[in-house]
Amino acid sequence: MSYDLLFQKANQLYGEGALNQAEQIYRTILETAPENPDVLNMLGLIAENKGLSKEAVDFFYKALKAAPNHLPICFNLAVSLVSCGHLREAADAYQKVLTINPALKEAHNNLGGVYEKLGDTTKATAEYTKALEIDKHYLEAAVNLAALKQDNAELQRLAQNNPQTSLPLYYLALAETKKQNLEAARRYIDDAVLKNDAEAEVFLLAGEIFTQAKDDVAATAAFRRALKLNPKSVPALINLGVRENDENLFKQALDLEPDNAEAHADYANLLYKQKRTLEALEEYRKAVILRPDLPELSNNLGLVLKDIGEYEQALDLFLDAFMKDKDSADFAVNMSETLTLLHQQAPERALKIAELWADAAPENPFAMHTLNAFCGTVSADVDKKYAAALFDAFASSYDKTMQDIKYAVMHKIKELNIPLCGNVLDLGCGTGLAGKIFHNEANTFTGVDISQNMLDNAHLSGAYQYLYKHDLTEYLRGNDLKYDIALALDVVVYMDNLEEIAKLLKQTPFLFTIENADKDVSSLVLAANGRYRYNPFYVAEILRTAGYRKIKKHELTLRQENGNDVIGTLFFAE
């Protein structure tokens, strides 16, 4: 078969979507005509269609060596350079296209898009405007210009005048999403996805909006539609991989974009959940290398290293994450917990790191409380700030965590059949765990906690008649107590003033827990884990001094900590 016939056959197959067969024929032709620009151009188009943009760029550059002023090849090169993220080179390629044909509106529009991505809004505006001067009805350029100017009124006009297209609606939805106006964003995107021209990007945005609206079913369906429209859509593959815990989807995404940090990180999250720790470690490392500027990646890698006992390496990463985002309680919690673990192995090294952290963040309650715990230093002000910050951070996962650590106090109260009748004061109520378990027709619950996030969760339980955000001691000082019983479950461990609390309760029946101190501790001690431990005999004496005459105590395993039993005592004083 002649060269021309082969080329025509390959073109036909390409038009029918048989890319692999067409590619085979083009490569056969290339063996005898290695510099043929038309064949190289078609191979570039096939590579781009397969999502192999870097390979496509190589083909287009080779083609341009043989045909430097070939306009379609220049244009295709510019498109693939954008796909690769080589925006400066893409701008040069589009400028060359416009040198060959200054009246090509698509080149002006696309060049405007490149300048917009580069942050040069002046040049972007100029290019969109030139495209509209060539064709005043050019909808894509009109939409791009209105979106760039954040002119929602113009976008709405374009949507009304072009009811068949999704483009203006897409940008309206995007604008509302950026402003966190989810209701308005959803209205626009719901309309956009119904248009016949809705492409993968429309459904990707729909998936993001539905995710924020916590409509998981609609979000998954949107990402699936995006992937159907564009099987090479890496964002769709990643989102579906996360939603469906599908390892193969992550592998597909990474085959298409090996340097995609988000894909590596989310794949690592999946491996970590499956307890494939070493594999997760490798994926997190790749993500951190690709995006060292993202503190959450350093944090996640640190968590894996913490799990395998590499505490100092983990601390380096947690500190890196913390210094990039000092407002993140999660990073600070991880830093504090890992320092505590290191302290069990190498107390001097842990103390040195804690001192460096406290010097770098003297206002951070986690840093200061951790240092205080290692030094045995008591500070009521730091304790109060620490408790508030800790439980604000802990609120969303509190109930699950208590299950994971086998928190046994509620079961013990049931076992002992301690009556919780009348008006119950729940000091340090947290998410309302006690109320959820013990609230009934014979009692009413009032909750007090220093953490607003905890109180928000307690409110959702519906078990509490009243909830107050307050330091516990200040609440007791400022109220004329009329309660039938007061609870303080897993609360005293964060306070050093049990004596004052007992006096302020004025012999209100008091049910509470302590963690037991070692036998050589006569009163209380701030342990290295940041919790106070009490001698049970010392506690009983505090209660007697406060006027309690009937004191019952029950030793029990409160919970698990790093696989070890934590021994404490449940007190019931009347």
Side-chain angles (χ1 to χ4, degrees), residues 403-460:
Q403 289 178 357
D404 293 344
I405 64 175
K406 299 178 181 179
Y407 182 62
V409 173
M410 303 302 176
H411 177 74
K412 189 68 174 179
I413 294 171
K414 284 184 176 181
E415 180 185 298
L416 296 169
N417 199 27
I418 297 173
L420 301 181
C421 300
N423 293 324
V424 180
L425 174 61
D426 191 356
L427 296 168
C429 63
T431 59
L433 191 58
K436 294 172 193 175
I437 295 172
F438 296 112
H439 174 61
N440 55 47
E441 292 181 357
N443 60 34
T444 58
F445 270 76
T446 295
V448 182
D449 204 283
I450 200 169
S451 163
Q452 185 61 53
N453 290 354
M454 285 287 194
L455 290 169
D456 290 344
N457 279 275
H459 174 73
L460 293 174

Side-chain angles (χ1 to χ4, degrees), residues 416 535-538 540 551-555 569-572:
L416 296 169
N535 182 314
F537 295 101
Y538 169 71
I551 300 168
K552 297 178 182 178
K553 57 183 179 179
H554 309 273
E555 188 173 282
T569 302
L570 175 68
F571 278 88
F572 184 37

Side-chain angles (χ1 to χ4, degrees), residues 18 128 166 191 202 244 308 372 399 502 509 550 572:
Y128 292 143
S166 63
D191 198 3
V202 174
E244 301 179 357
I308 63 175
N372 285 350
D399 288 0
K550 192 175 179 183
F572 184 37

Side-chain angles (χ1 to χ4, degrees), residues 336-351:
S336 178
E337 288 180 349
T338 309
L339 272 170
T340 301
L341 292 169
L342 179 63
H343 191 272
Q344 295 171 8
Q345 297 180 350
E348 291 184 4
R349 180 63 182 151
L351 176 59

